[in-house]
Amino acid sequence: MKKLFLAAALAVSASAYATEATKTESTLAINPIQQSLANLGLSVNDITDSPIPGLKTVITDRGVFYSSHDGRYLMQGALIDVANRKNLTEDALSGVRKEGLKDYQDSMIVYKAENEKHQVTIFTDITCGYCRKLHRELDDYLNAGITVKYMAFPRGGLQSQGYEDLMNVWCAKDSATALTEAKAGNPVEDVKNCSAPIAEHYQLGQKFGISGTPAIILEDGSIIPGYQPAADLAGALERNAKS
């Protein structure tokens, strides 16, 4: 009789636990912010409190947004801490960039400085004029001790000829030489059975808040949008290292 009573008690307890677990899972599954952004085609990676009461910081696959707790109101733009003169949006993205790049080290095209002092990761496109200018001055960067690591960002999107060209460059036997040739305006050779993570690079760039090229990511995860001469970039890297 005691065994029967114990079995019944355990069954009731297990049922209560299962019901509570289901409630918890349901609560997580229907997060109103996540649901609201999904309706806009955005994928949520993280939701945290912002410095403004009632406003959440939302990290998505398209950068940083700010949302009311119920997901009804959404804002995009830089959140500035005036007292401390800090761009809180950029700070949030800097951490995302540093972590995100770790998974793509093996798929970057790298030009290593002989006497390396710093590294930068540059999202680039073949047809971008300032990307070509930067690459023509590659020796200046290398001589300044700056290792350049390229990731692909086809400005025309994943259905463009630029995407196809970047795929073939990354699949080339000597991708570094192929990229230099392509940026010099030479035809890009087709590579059979080409498979390269260009789409992943592009999507990661969007997550980082990148919309154009070149986009230079420094070692601390901060970003410089657009072309920078080697001397100016070296100065920025030195200032970052000291701060």
Side-chain angles (χ1 to χ4, degrees):
M1 188 69 177
K2 288 183 178 179
K3 289 182 178 179
L4 182 61
F5 178 79
L6 179 59
L10 289 173
V12 170
S13 177
S15 175
Y17 177 81
T19 300
E20 189 61 32
T22 301
K23 287 181 181 178
T24 301
E25 289 174 2
S26 298
T27 301
L28 292 174
I30 58 172
N31 181 292
I33 296 176
Q34 190 169 0
Q35 187 174 21
S36 179
L37 268 65
N39 292 336
L40 299 176
L42 298 170
S43 177
V44 174
N45 300 113
D46 193 27
I47 301 173
T48 58
D49 290 333
S50 83
I52 301 175
L55 204 62
K56 298 288 186 179
T57 300
V58 187
I59 306 294
T60 77
D61 58 346
R62 295 293 186 272
V64 177
F65 291 82
Y66 299 95
S67 174
S68 57
H69 71 278
D70 57 0
R72 179 177 178 181
Y73 299 104
L74 189 68
M75 299 192 312
Q76 184 179 28
L79 182 61
I80 308 296
D81 180 344
V82 177
N84 294 305
R85 298 187 179 184
K86 292 182 66 177
N87 184 330
L88 301 181
T89 304
E90 179 58 28
D91 285 353
L93 277 173
S94 293
V96 170
R97 294 183 193 117
K98 283 181 69 176
E99 287 301 311
L101 289 176
K102 291 178 182 179
D103 294 332
Y104 291 90
Q105 296 297 319
D106 293 339
S107 64
M108 298 178 183
I109 295 178
V110 179
Y111 299 84
K112 186 172 176 57
E114 185 174 348
N115 298 309
E116 182 181 284
K117 299 176 183 177
H118 301 285
Q119 296 182 357
V120 293
T121 303
I122 303 177
F123 281 79
T124 193
D125 190 21
I126 292 171
T127 60
C128 155
Y130 277 106
C131 296
R132 290 185 171 189
K133 177 176 174 59
L134 189 155
H135 197 76
R136 285 196 301 270
E137 299 170 12
L138 183 63
D139 285 344
D140 294 339
Y141 296 89
L142 300 181
N143 291 336
I146 304 170
T147 288
V148 174
K149 301 156 72 174
Y150 278 122
M151 291 190 70
F153 193 86
R155 296 176 299 155
L158 301 182
Q159 306 301 321
S160 65
Q161 183 59 47
Y163 169 76
E164 295 296 332
D165 287 343
L166 285 166
M167 283 283 289
N168 285 309
V169 164
W170 251 256
C171 286
K173 187 175 182 180
D174 184 345
S175 57
T177 297
L179 184 58
T180 296
E181 290 295 317
K183 289 196 175 190
N186 296 322
V188 178
E189 293 185 13
D190 288 336
V191 179
K192 292 182 179 180
N193 302 317
C194 176
S195 177
I198 304 304
E200 289 88 340
H201 285 199
Y202 180 70
Q203 289 158 1
L204 187 69
Q206 289 184 314
K207 181 179 177 180
F208 288 174
I210 292 170
S211 58
T213 54
I216 306 171
I217 299 180
L218 309 187
E219 291 153 313
D220 64 350
S222 60
I223 191 169
I224 298 177
Y227 162 81
Q228 288 284 306
D232 291 353
L233 183 57
L237 288 163
E238 286 298 325
R239 288 192 296 273
N240 266 22
K242 293 175 182 177
S243 62

